[in-house]
Amino acid sequence: QVQVVESGGGLVQAGGSLRLSCTASGLTFDDYDMGWFRQAPGTEREGVSCFNWLGGSTYYGDSVKGRFTFSRDNGKNTLYLKMNSLKPENTGMYYCTAGPAESELGCSLLREEYRYWGKGTQVTISS
């Protein structure tokens, strides 16, 4: 049984930083792309960052490039999203997700490409 669990959310002031963690069990990381999505109230869930295990490539949404960094700890089956220079518009529930890796060429920021989802961790940025 696949389980995905996020942690690390919280309330910070604009300009601050947070590091989210995601632990996944019951799956072989090499077979999956991993992603982080954000959903604000009343909006669609949107892709923030993803990692393609096969090719080792990372992608970021335009709004977070240069501020967010995706990393992993293979030994702990844990992924991280370091978020710097946070803005109020980064507020939302952050979800970690895993989807079957189609190739080594890259990963997707489309929600429908992912299969397993955590319950999310709330991030709130005050102005």
Side-chain angles (χ1 to χ4, degrees):
Q1 182 178 359
V2 176
Q3 285 192 318
V4 179
V5 180
E6 308 92 337
S7 62
L11 170 64
V12 299
Q13 290 187 329
S17 299
L18 280 174
R19 189 180 77 161
L20 306 183
S21 300
C22 170
T23 301
S25 60
L27 57 80
T28 302
F29 272 18
D30 284 353
D31 295 334
Y32 287 85
D33 291 335
M34 302 298 297
W36 284 98
F37 282 68
R38 182 187 71 88
Q39 188 167 22
T43 69
E44 296 290 323
R45 196 171 296 187
E46 64 175 1
V48 175
S49 178
C50 66
F51 178 74
N52 173 258
W53 218 269
L54 290 175
S57 57
T58 309
Y59 292 88
Y60 300 94
D62 289 341
S63 65
V64 305
K65 284 180 182 176
R67 297 188 298 121
F68 289 15
T69 304
F70 194 121
S71 63
R72 70 192 189 278
D73 183 331
N74 292 358
K76 296 181 180 179
N77 272 14
T78 301
L79 308 169
Y80 304 97
L81 185 68
K82 182 66 186 301
M83 307 186 295
N84 296 324
S85 303
L86 284 162
K87 304 175 181 180
E89 53 262 42
N90 297 132
T91 293
M93 187 71 79
Y94 281 72
Y95 297 90
C96 182
T97 182
E102 299 295 330
S103 77
E104 63 182 16
L105 297 179
C107 53
S108 170
L109 292 180
L110 297 177
R111 179 178 180 175
E112 56 265 30
E113 299 295 326
Y114 293 87
R115 181 180 299 173
Y116 302 106
W117 295 83
K119 294 182 178 180
T121 184
Q122 177 67 36
V123 171
T124 303
I125 312 303
S126 62
S127 58

